[in-house]
Amino acid sequence: MPIADLSRVYSYERAQELAIGNQQVAMKISATIITFNEAENIRAACESVAWADEIVVVDSGSTDATRDIAVGCGARIIVNSWPGFAAQKQLAVEAATHDWIFSLDADERVSPELLASILSLRDAAEFQLAHGYRVPRRAFYMGRWIRGGGWYPDYQLRLFHRLHGRWGPRLIHESVTMNDGARIETLKGDLLHYTVRDAAQHRRAIEERYAPLGAQQMYRDGKRSSPLRRALAGPAAFVRSYVLKGGFRDGPAGLTIAKFAAYHASLKHSILLQLQSRSRDVEG
């Protein structure tokens, strides 16, 4: 993976030096990660948040070495049967020792610039802090960092005070919902996302996770489809990704992303139509 040498930046001692010198740390942060068979990712993920005051890994029954590797990195492990993405992430929040939470996915890494932004907050007075901080996420796909297609900056709220926010009850594209009146600011520096490795994995992710869960979420939200909407969804998604959101700037990767956006949209509406049909059959 084309990451700069982060070992100097991610060492705990260096993080403390950069943040506060010999002063007392004011903001205590728990880094939370949810996992299932993430042996190839978990070490780098834990090293990416080694600056945190603790690392909490909630694992849903991995059969590989995920938990052993995480323990070796100093993480505290909790095993919990899979309740869904948002619920598992919220469980990690509630299990954390500290009120400030930094949530990381196993395939994400904190860039040096983002780390510097986070560390700059740690000795700030409480009145100077927002209640939550969102960060821009940049994806690595087909050998390059993606700029267009709606994939960047892809802001994610990942650092927050748990008394002022929680993971919302969504099946897919889960996010932190902040309380009314909470102040949210944006940090500098990217959260690096090492997303699907290749087109085959991308297709599987759409077919096995994104489209089914997306359709279920649409159905729960009261949204409905039709044969016409299904026919239009794919072309509209392609144009939006490749043209309107600048996917063409990313060359072949941008074209592939746009094609998969079209496939995802079409499949999601097909599944939604199936859900509607089943519901009518049951009601009938």
Side-chain angles (χ1 to χ4, degrees):
M1 294 181 181
I3 305 181
D5 180 9
L6 304 184
S7 58
R8 176 181 62 85
V9 182
Y10 287 150
S11 69
Y12 181 80
E13 293 78 12
R14 177 59 175 167
Q16 293 297 312
E17 177 185 344
L18 288 172
I20 55 166
N22 294 322
Q23 301 175 32
Q24 182 179 359
V25 176
M27 176 194 274
K28 296 278 190 178
I29 300 176
S30 295
T32 60
I33 308 170
I34 65 170
T35 58
F36 176 69
N37 288 347
E38 291 285 358
E40 65 178 280
N41 279 320
I42 190 60
R43 184 181 305 280
C46 288
E47 290 174 352
S48 179
V49 289
W51 45 267
D53 296 285
E54 72 164 345
I55 301 173
V56 179
V57 171
V58 178
D59 185 80
S60 55
S62 291
T63 56
D64 62 8
T66 296
R67 294 196 296 273
D68 291 338
I69 296 171
V71 168
C73 292
R76 176 160 59 93
I77 309 298
I78 298 170
V79 179
N80 187 64
S81 298
W82 182 245
F85 290 98
Q88 194 79 320
K89 289 182 177 182
Q90 183 58 31
L91 186 147
V93 169
E94 294 168 359
T97 301
H98 307 297
D99 285 334
W100 279 100
I101 307 296
F102 184 82
S103 179
L104 186 78
D105 289 344
D107 60 356
E108 295 173 339
R109 312 288 178 258
V110 176
S111 68
E113 295 79 11
L114 177 56
L115 175 58
S117 294
I118 295 171
L119 294 181
S120 71
L121 302 173
R122 298 193 71 174
D123 59 339
E126 185 173 353
F127 75 89
Q128 296 175 305
L129 298 173
H131 301 110
Y133 294 88
R134 64 177 196 162
V135 300
R137 183 169 65 170
R138 185 182 292 274
F140 188 77
Y141 182 76
M142 288 181 63
R144 64 177 295 161
W145 293 107
I146 302 301
R147 298 179 297 163
W151 280 29
Y152 186 79
D154 187 26
Y155 287 107
Q156 304 284 320
L157 201 158
R158 294 301 186 84
L159 176 63
F160 64 100
H161 195 290
R162 65 181 172 185
L163 297 183
H164 298 277
R166 61 183 292 113
W167 287 96
R170 290 187 61 82
L171 296 174
I172 192 69
H173 302 309
E174 65 282 354
S175 61
V176 175
T177 300
M178 299 300 291
N179 299 341
D180 292 342
R183 182 159 60 96
I184 301 171
E185 295 182 359
T186 302
L187 295 177
K188 294 181 180 179
D190 293 337
L191 183 64
L192 307 178
H193 186 199
Y194 290 92
T195 183
V196 291
R197 293 184 299 271
D198 50 36
Q201 188 185 33
H202 196 166
R203 177 178 291 274
R204 287 196 303 273
I206 289 172
E207 294 173 345
E208 297 173 6
R209 174 184 173 187
Y210 293 111
L213 292 179
Q216 292 174 42
Q217 187 66 57
M218 290 174 69
Y219 190 81
R220 284 189 179 186
D221 293 341
K223 297 178 181 178
R224 297 297 181 262
S225 189
S226 67
L228 178 60
R229 288 178 179 173
R230 177 178 59 186
L232 295 176
F238 180 89
V239 171
R240 184 166 54 249
S241 176
Y242 194 67
V243 179
L244 300 181
K245 294 190 175 182
F248 61 87
R249 295 181 298 166
D250 294 311
L255 179 60
T256 300
I257 288 170
K259 288 180 178 178
F260 274 123
Y263 178 58
H264 175 215
S266 178
L267 182 58
K268 184 169 60 175
H269 278 265
S270 294
I271 297 173
L272 180 55
L273 283 172
Q274 293 173 12
L275 293 175
Q276 293 170 207
S277 177
R278 291 172 190 166
S279 177
R280 286 193 296 268
D281 290 343
V282 171
E283 294 173 357

